[in-house]
């Protein structure tokens, strides 16, 4: 496979991967049944509670976990009555496997980010930014642009988490800026993955299906840029033109901080190699990367005394009393404590949504919507609606349903649905993996309603990117 090294540094993201139930048997049509309608009501009620999290003070994982259990219990009952429980079981296990890959992938990424935070890397980055005199507006653009260009290389989920960690450190208690900056990061990360066949799972699906060749994705670059810039320009006008209210201080990195960054890069490279060379799920490489961190923690503990003696001797020789007081910077590192600091509410929320959407897929709703859109509507309007749907339901099963139908469309329309499925999730905070992850990372500061207030501005970027694609790439629609 060409560009093997790039294949996964973008595939590394596993954004919400829950493909429609993959079963070789014919499923029971339940879209117009009591169970189907009840499942829709339960899913809608759960999502409503998620949206009201900041008002109800109810963790977003609770309603979707309950909804997933109820939906699959009803599906199991119906399939048991028809003597086809094996079909439902196969679909359930398929969705569980997809979630397991997502869970372990996210767990390793969050552990590394937690480790870098514990080693004071983000404190050092904050001190550097303060020393450079960056104001909030400069930080807004810096983190957004970095997210846009890093996400096609690293992945939109990990990129968003890293940029959010920086924002949380620099912004202090300025909640308004944190909310705007997180929205900006989500939009940038999602837009950055839309113009590369490796930038998002949906783009990869379209490329692997053979509807668009590798080189034919390039026309999406400018529409993706517009999708990010339009809302960013408007939001930047509301970013306070002042400097963070933090005092500049010297930050000494804890021992091993830079080496943990190197190990994280090595972990990403390992995941790339497992996927591109061996064609294994990238999560295998990520879990191997966790072993790197565990062995490094063991090394830090075993060499603690020697490092303490060396630093103490150097401080005494230089008569540096302040350095002697800072010897705590060589403290050992506990990997499992970092694992415990992962955002478990977010991880469990992913489980709930993955299983709910998997259940609705088995019931036939995603296939039904796709069939109506592509047989009764103009393909262009259907593709635009796919983006709107992806803000509510995960874009992976939506795109899977489209590809299953194999509608006869021009390359321009296939690029359009690739673009909309990739950036449409930015319309709502729960519309993409990046948004959901940041709701956990910046809990209480970046919220559903905080994002919703800016949806009209984000929608302007969504519409503008579509118009730019239609104008610049009109020849591809013939």
């Amino acid at each position: 496979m060409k560009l093997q090294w790039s294949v996964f540094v973008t595939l590394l993201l596993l954004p919400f991967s829950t493909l429609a139930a993959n079963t070789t048997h014919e499923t029971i049509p339940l879209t117009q049944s009591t169970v189907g309608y009840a499942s829709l009501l339960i899913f809608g009620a759960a999502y409503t509670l998620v949206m009201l999290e900041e008002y109800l003070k109810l963790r977003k994982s609770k309603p979707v976990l309950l909804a997933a259990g109820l939906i699959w219990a009803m599906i199991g009952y119906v399939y048991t009555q028809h003597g086809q429980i094996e079909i439902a079981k196969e679909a359930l296990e398929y969705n569980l496997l997809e979630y397991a890959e997502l869970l372990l992938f996210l767990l390793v990424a969050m552990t590394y980010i937690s480790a870098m935070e514990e080693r004071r890397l983000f404190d050092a980055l904050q001190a550097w930014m303060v020393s450079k005199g960056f104001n909030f507006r400069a930080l807004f653009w810096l983190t957004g642009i970095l997210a846009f260009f890093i996400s096609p290389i690293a992945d939109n989920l990990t990129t968003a988490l890293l940029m959010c960690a920086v924002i949380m450190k620099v912004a202090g208690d300025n909640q308004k800026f944190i909310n705007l900056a997180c929205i900006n990061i989500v939009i940038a990360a999602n837009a950055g993955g839309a113009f590369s066949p490796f930038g998002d799972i949906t783009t990869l699906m379209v490329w692997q299906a053979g509807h668009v060749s590798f080189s034919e994705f390039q026309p999406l670059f400018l529409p993706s840029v517009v999708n990010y810039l339009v809302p960013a320009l408007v939001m930047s006008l509301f970013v306070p033109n002042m400097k963070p209210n933090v005092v500049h201080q010297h930050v000494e990195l804890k021992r091993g901080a830079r080496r943990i960054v190197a190990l994280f890069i090595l972990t990403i490279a390992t995941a790339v190699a497992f996927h591109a060379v061996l064609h294994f799920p990238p999560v295998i490489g990520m879990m191997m990367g966790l072993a790197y961190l565990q062995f490094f923690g063991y090394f830090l503990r075993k060499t603690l005394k020697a490092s303490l003696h060396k630093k103490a001797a150097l401080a005494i020789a230089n008569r540096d009393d302040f350095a002697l007081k800072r010897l705590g910077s060589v403290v050992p590192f506990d990997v499992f404590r970092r694992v415990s600091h992962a955002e478990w509410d977010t991880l469990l929320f992913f489980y709930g949504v993955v299983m709910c959407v998997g259940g609705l897929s088995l019931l036939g709703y995603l296939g039904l919507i796709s069939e109506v859109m592509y047989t009764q509507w103009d393909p262009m309007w259907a593709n635009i609606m796919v983006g709107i749907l992806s803000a509510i339901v995960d874009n992976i099963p939506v795109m899977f349903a489209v590809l299953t139908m194999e509608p006869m469309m021009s390359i321009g329309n296939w690029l359009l649905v690739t673009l909309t499925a990739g950036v449409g999730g930015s319309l709502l905070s729960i519309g993409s993996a990046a948004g959901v992850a940041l709701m956990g990372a910046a809990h209480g500061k970046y919220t559903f309603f905080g994002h919703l207030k800016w949806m009209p501005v984000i929608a302007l970027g969504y519409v503008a990117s579509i118009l730019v694609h239609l104008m610049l790439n009109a020849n591809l629609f013939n």
Side-chain angles (χ1 to χ4, degrees):
M1 184 182 294
K2 293 182 180 180
L3 296 178
Q4 289 181 349
W5 203 241
S6 304
V7 171
F8 192 85
V9 201
T10 60
L11 265 184
L12 272 185
L13 91 174
L14 283 181
F16 247 46
S17 139
T18 159
L19 295 178
N22 183 23
T23 175
T24 57
H25 306 287
E26 186 175 349
T27 57
I28 303 171
L30 295 170
T31 53
Q32 298 182 28
S33 67
T34 302
V35 168
Y37 295 142
S39 297
L40 287 177
L41 285 174
I42 291 171
F43 184 63
Y47 249 55
T48 301
L49 291 176
V50 170
M51 296 173 190
L52 296 173
E53 178 190 19
E54 60 186 291
Y55 296 104
L56 299 176
K57 306 302 179 186
L58 179 72
R59 291 280 188 174
K60 60 183 175 291
S61 60
K62 296 178 181 178
V64 291
L65 285 174
L66 180 60
L70 291 174
I71 290 172
W72 279 99
M74 291 188 295
I75 291 174
Y77 175 78
V78 172
Y79 273 80
T80 299
Q81 294 300 307
H82 286 78
Q84 299 184 45
I85 189 60
E86 288 302 318
I87 297 176
K89 184 179 178 182
E90 181 183 341
L92 178 64
E93 291 175 346
Y94 182 82
N95 283 280
L96 277 174
L97 177 61
E98 292 295 325
Y99 172 70
E101 292 183 12
L102 174 64
L103 169 68
L104 295 175
F105 178 92
L106 277 175
L107 193 60
V108 175
M110 287 180 172
T111 300
Y112 264 101
I113 290 171
S114 178
M116 287 186 274
E117 182 177 16
E118 190 272 341
R119 294 286 103 174
R120 307 198 69 188
L121 272 161
F122 296 120
D123 288 327
L125 186 57
Q126 175 199 38
W128 176 80
M129 287 183 169
V130 171
S131 69
K132 293 297 181 181
F134 291 132
N135 59 23
F136 281 127
R137 193 163 293 175
L139 290 169
F140 176 88
W141 283 108
L142 180 62
T143 52
I145 292 171
L146 284 174
F148 182 86
F149 285 104
I150 293 175
S151 62
I153 303 170
D155 72 77
N156 59 3
L157 187 56
T158 305
T159 300
L161 286 170
L162 284 170
M163 292 298 105
C164 180
V166 173
I167 288 296
M168 294 293 288
K169 280 293 181 183
V170 177
D173 58 353
N174 195 313
Q175 188 165 333
K176 178 182 177 182
F177 173 70
I178 292 174
N179 185 66
L180 281 171
C182 285
I183 297 171
N184 184 51
I185 289 168
V186 169
I187 298 169
N190 288 336
F195 61 86
S196 165
F198 307 123
D200 196 297
I201 294 296
T202 52
T203 59
L204 182 70
M205 289 166 68
V206 173
W207 178 53
Q208 287 186 333
H211 296 296
V212 182
S213 67
F214 180 84
S215 60
E216 288 171 336
F217 279 94
Q218 300 312 307
L220 289 181
F221 176 73
L222 285 179
S224 298
V225 171
V226 170
N227 179 267
Y228 164 61
L229 284 181
V230 170
L233 285 168
V234 176
M235 289 191 297
S236 67
L237 300 176
F238 295 86
V239 175
N241 194 17
M242 55 184 287
K243 294 184 178 180
N245 186 25
V246 290
V247 180
H248 175 57
Q249 58 179 345
H250 172 75
V251 174
E252 182 176 359
L253 294 175
K254 291 185 179 180
R255 179 170 169 250
R258 295 182 182 85
R259 281 172 284 182
I260 287 178
V261 175
L263 289 176
F264 186 44
I265 295 172
L266 179 60
T267 297
I268 292 175
T270 304
V272 172
F274 265 96
H275 182 271
V277 179
L278 302 177
H279 305 290
F280 283 163
V283 66
I284 305 299
M286 291 296 285
M287 291 302 292
M288 186 173 175
L290 184 60
Y292 303 158
L293 192 59
Q294 288 179 303
F295 274 103
F296 185 62
Y298 175 80
F299 168 78
L300 289 179
R301 287 194 299 275
K302 286 298 182 180
T303 58
L304 176 60
K305 289 184 179 179
S307 181
L308 276 170
H309 290 316
K310 182 179 178 181
K311 277 185 174 283
L314 185 62
I316 293 170
N318 294 332
R319 297 181 179 180
D320 189 346
D321 294 334
F322 186 61
L324 282 171
K325 294 178 181 179
R326 297 199 311 265
L327 284 180
S329 63
V330 298
V331 293
F333 176 77
D334 186 348
V335 172
F336 291 106
R337 183 174 295 177
R338 294 301 100 205
V339 171
S340 70
H341 287 189
E343 181 52 52
W344 285 99
D345 181 55
T346 299
L347 295 174
L348 292 176
F349 174 80
F350 274 121
Y351 166 82
V353 176
V354 164
M355 297 308 293
C356 282
V357 173
L360 294 177
S361 298
L362 183 61
L363 290 169
Y365 284 110
L366 293 179
L368 177 64
I369 292 172
S370 177
E371 185 176 353
V372 170
M373 286 166 48
Y374 284 97
T375 58
Q376 301 180 19
W377 298 9
D378 183 282
M380 184 182 74
W381 292 110
N383 293 334
I384 293 172
M385 182 55 68
V386 164
I388 297 173
L389 283 174
S390 70
I392 305 169
V393 182
D394 178 27
N395 59 358
I396 306 299
V398 172
M399 180 61 80
F400 184 82
V402 174
L403 292 173
T404 301
M405 278 199 64
E406 293 190 350
M408 296 297 294
M409 296 194 300
S410 61
I411 292 178
N413 264 312
W414 279 111
L415 287 175
L416 177 60
V417 73
T418 302
L419 173 69
T420 57
V423 303
S426 301
L427 292 169
L428 297 175
S429 63
I430 55 177
S432 66
V436 173
L438 294 204
M439 286 175 68
H443 185 70
K445 297 178 181 178
Y446 169 61
T447 62
F448 176 84
F449 281 100
H451 190 111
L452 186 65
K453 292 175 184 176
W454 293 95
M455 188 177 72
V457 175
I458 301 169
L460 282 178
Y462 181 72
V463 173
S465 63
I466 292 171
L467 292 175
V468 168
H469 174 57
L470 294 177
M471 289 188 293
L472 293 182
N473 306 316
N475 60 307
L476 299 177
F477 286 83
N478 298 326

